[in-house]
Amino acid sequence: MELRFYNSMTRNLEAFKPIEEGTVRMYHCGPTVYQRPHIGNYRAFLFADLLRRLFDQRGLQVTQVMNLTDVGHLVDDADDGEDKLEVQARKEKIDPWQLVQEVSKQFFADLEALQVRPAHHYPRATEHIPEMIQIVNQLLERGHAYQVGANVYFDVHSFERYGQLSGNRIEDLEAGARLEVNDEKRHPSDFALWKSDPQHIMKWESEFGPDGFPGWHVECSAMAMKYLGESFDIHTGGEDNIFPHHECEIAQSEGATGAPFVNLWMHTRFLRVDGGKMSKSLGNVYSLDDLIEKGFEVLDFRFLVLKAHYRGSLNFTWEALRSAAEARKGLMDFRGRLTAACSQEEGGEGGIETVLKARTEFQAAISEDLNTSAALAAVFDLRNYFLKEGLSSEASKRALDFLLEVDDLLGLFPNTAESSSGLTDAEIDALVVARTQARTEKDWARADEIRDQLSQAKIVLEDGPDGVHWHRG
Ligand code: AMP
Ligand code: ZN
């Protein structure tokens, strides 16, 4: 099925055509590692993972890069002022390098818990300083940048397409520019490529002077082009990255190389919390641990995010997370019931058409700009049909295959690697369903037999008001 994606640059849905047939090269703006990423950040990163899984599933050879910003991202995304990392390190009374280590470790643990497939490269800004300096020099040579003392700025008037991605016009930006204009800049909209500040802890010596560090935007240009080449297929980020970050990346990269930088720009809409922006003062900047503390599983959050289209609004509330957790349990229950139904006596074709229809609807929704919301609706329709009408064993087999294909893309079931018990999660789900059924039918011998089988495999059962749950002991 042909893939179509919304391109923030053209503001249109476009058929996806990789630069090199059969391959995809993509870059995602990753976390600024000054504090553990919050659930909003993970909406953006889960979208990156969805793209990755889609291309894997469609058999494309993917090169995926997500950077770690560990220097140069100043407070308020500004051009002047303090580095977010150094401010936080000072608060915690630790060395900024140590802070980077701690937060990065946490970030990778979160990704693993969320079942995000590892990207092929996770470059860190501080490990690519020479590549950034090289771009700054190319821009100076090509007349897109100018040096004032030990600082270097990009001249936005030198790049005609500046503003194309965000729709901003330089004149309008300058009319609305803040009063305290940095008088080193030729124009208020020019932005820093390289800054010098003796107060900075993380700093490098270069031909521009001592005590320098890169601007946040040039970091992503350098890391993206190093791993993906001057021109690549897809660049993503949250919607706040469109301006100035991505606008500036385009100007720098294309200004330096003269080649088109990115074919397709994709942006995730912001996750809101309790109907508004997350904020420290409201105490709702949640991390994954906050969800676990309230008894949720990290994958429930994954479900909540994927249930919404990535460009649609998504409001995080505890109630919404509770519904997501319920719905995800419903999917696991479906898998268990289907596994059991595969080996039932019921022959014939009953329901095959319905399964095929669900699969087609699912793939069509995904192919049309990754509409996971509509795609999941097709899965739940099939589940409802199964619960009402039942499916023959052949149709159940097909439905189970389909469900596993859904999971390969969405990653909602815990990883199904067989444990030492020798039972897969799906087999355990099926046994739990069979035991419940035996109990309903008052077949106590069968129910006990299954319980013994599960306990031998060190599976712990918990009877709760909403059904039986299990975990590996
Ligand atoms: P940062 O750590 O601030 O550099 O952000 C890392 C990524 O998370 C960027 O792509 C941001 O656009 C994205 N992001 C930040 N906040 C949110 C949010 N509330 N919802 C979705 N994405 C976000
Ligand atoms: Zn970036």
Side-chain angles (χ1 to χ4, degrees):
M1 242 180 252
E2 182 184 72
L3 294 171
R4 299 200 326 146
F5 297 128
Y6 182 83
N7 189 345
S8 311
M9 177 64 92
T10 59
R11 296 166 182 79
N12 267 320
L13 279 174
E14 293 173 359
F16 178 62
K17 199 171 171 305
I19 295 173
E20 207 179 303
E21 215 188 313
T23 70
V24 187
R25 296 190 304 254
M26 56 180 180
Y27 183 89
H28 316 289
C29 283
T32 304
V33 283
Y34 70 114
Q35 59 184 20
R36 182 178 182 174
H38 51 61
I39 55 174
N41 298 128
Y42 285 117
R43 184 181 194 194
F45 305 151
L46 283 170
F47 173 64
D49 186 53
L50 177 64
L51 276 172
R52 159 70 182 279
R53 285 168 173 263
L54 173 69
F55 294 131
D56 280 351
Q57 193 169 75
R58 300 280 172 112
L60 283 102
Q61 196 198 320
V62 188
T63 311
Q64 185 183 31
V65 181
M66 178 177 283
N67 76 294
L68 270 65
T69 302
D70 54 1
V71 69
H73 196 167
L74 306 187
V75 173
D76 293 330
D77 295 356
D79 233 13
D80 280 310
E82 289 198 280
D83 193 308
K84 289 189 182 192
L85 246 140
E86 295 191 3
V87 173
Q88 186 64 25
R90 200 169 55 232
K91 259 192 220 152
E92 296 188 20
K93 297 195 174 58
I94 55 171
D95 178 69
W97 299 100
Q98 190 190 340
L99 179 64
V100 167
Q101 282 315 315
E102 284 171 13
V103 174
S104 313
K105 202 166 146 216
Q106 188 67 70
F107 166 62
F108 288 118
D110 281 353
L111 289 186
E112 196 178 337
L114 282 165
Q115 300 191 164
V116 167
R117 282 194 192 149
H120 302 90
H121 304 277
Y122 287 104
R124 290 162 192 265
T126 51
E127 288 168 7
H128 296 78
I129 300 294
E131 288 86 346
M132 295 166 198
I133 292 177
Q134 193 192 336
I135 294 180
V136 179
N137 276 315
Q138 277 169 286
L139 290 170
L140 282 165
E141 276 161 33
R142 289 171 150 254
H144 286 297
Y146 56 94
Q147 187 173 349
V148 185
N151 297 333
V152 186
Y153 296 98
F154 187 94
D155 176 357
V156 293
H157 285 272
S158 74
F159 188 75
E160 215 181 302
R161 293 186 298 287
Y162 191 82
Q164 204 174 22
L165 177 70
S166 59
N168 284 323
R169 288 166 11 125
I170 298 176
E171 304 83 86
D172 299 340
L173 288 171
E174 299 197 338
R178 280 180 291 164
L179 288 177
E180 10 64 80
V181 175
N182 168 347
D183 43 70
E184 280 189 359
K185 293 183 184 179
R186 288 189 194 154
H187 317 287
S189 297
D190 291 351
F191 57 90
L193 295 167
W194 190 262
K195 290 281 285 189
S196 154
D197 180 357
Q199 304 300 320
H200 229 82
I201 302 171
M202 296 186 285
K203 57 192 177 188
W204 292 263
E205 171 135 19
S206 73
E207 52 269 56
F208 315 121
D211 306 325
F213 63 93
W216 172 39
H217 315 310
V218 81
E219 297 179 354
C220 281
S221 290
M223 291 185 274
M225 293 198 287
K226 168 158 183 183
Y227 294 95
L228 301 172
E230 290 179 355
S231 305
F232 57 92
D233 297 295
I234 303 178
H235 195 313
T236 76
E239 61 180 341
D240 64 323
N241 284 160
I242 295 177
F243 189 85
H245 189 47
H246 291 165
E247 193 72 72
C248 296
E249 269 189 58
I250 298 170
Q252 297 158 158
S253 310
E254 300 194 351
T257 67
F261 180 44
V262 167
N263 271 6
L264 174 64
W265 287 93
M266 299 181 86
H267 292 98
T268 318
R269 184 128 173 224
F270 255 36
L271 173 82
R272 292 163 70 80
V273 174
D274 302 325
K277 257 186 109 162
M278 256 178 280
S279 89
K280 287 220 171 96
S281 57
L282 293 173
N284 62 9
V285 184
Y286 298 128
S287 75
L288 295 184
D289 274 355
D290 293 320
L291 315 191
I292 293 168
E293 259 166 42
K294 291 237 181 190
F296 291 99
E297 289 177 38
V298 169
L299 295 181
D300 297 331
F301 174 68
R302 188 178 171 103
F303 184 95
L304 177 77
V305 168
L306 291 173
K307 182 74 183 49
H309 184 220
Y310 75 96
R311 285 194 294 120
S313 57
L314 174 57
N315 182 27
F316 177 92
T317 60
W318 293 110
E319 197 39 52
L321 187 60
R322 208 159 292 127
S323 313
E326 273 310 303
R328 197 174 71 86
K329 274 203 200 96
L331 270 192
M332 305 220 272
D333 170 81
F334 187 27
R335 180 178 63 176
R337 287 172 192 270
L338 284 174
T339 309
C342 287
S343 51
Q344 73 199 352
E345 294 294 296
E346 204 155 330
E349 302 274 293
I352 288 184
E353 281 299 312
T354 312
V355 176
L356 293 180
K357 186 169 149 278
R359 183 167 184 263
T360 308
E361 279 173 15
F362 180 88
Q363 289 300 350
I366 292 296
S367 304
E368 189 73 353
D369 200 30
L370 286 153
N371 192 341
T372 47
S373 180
L376 274 168
V379 179
F380 279 90
D381 283 351
L382 179 64
R383 174 172 186 262
N384 290 341
Y385 178 91
F386 171 81
L387 293 179
K388 266 210 208 105
E389 313 283 336
L391 290 172
S392 68
S393 56
E394 183 52 33
S396 298
K397 270 186 208 127
R398 296 201 188 198
L400 187 59
D401 284 348
F402 165 51
L403 200 57
L404 296 179
E405 183 181 297
V406 169
D407 192 52
D408 177 54
L409 184 71
L410 303 182
L412 297 168
F413 299 148
N415 277 334
T416 51
E418 274 186 33
S419 77
S420 52
S421 70
L423 291 173
T424 64
D425 290 359
E427 285 163 345
I428 299 167
D429 283 341
L431 284 168
V432 171
V433 170
R435 174 173 165 266
T436 310
Q437 175 113 19
R439 282 165 45 151
T440 317
E441 289 163 5
K442 301 200 173 9
D443 184 352
W444 307 116
R446 174 78 187 130
D448 287 350
E449 192 188 317
I450 297 172
R451 192 201 51 216
D452 292 346
Q453 190 185 349
L454 288 169
S455 80
Q456 253 177 24
K458 300 210 167 28
I459 307 302
V460 181
L461 297 179
E462 279 165 11
D463 290 302
D466 54 349
V468 183
H469 304 300
W470 62 264
H471 59 84
R472 294 183 192 271

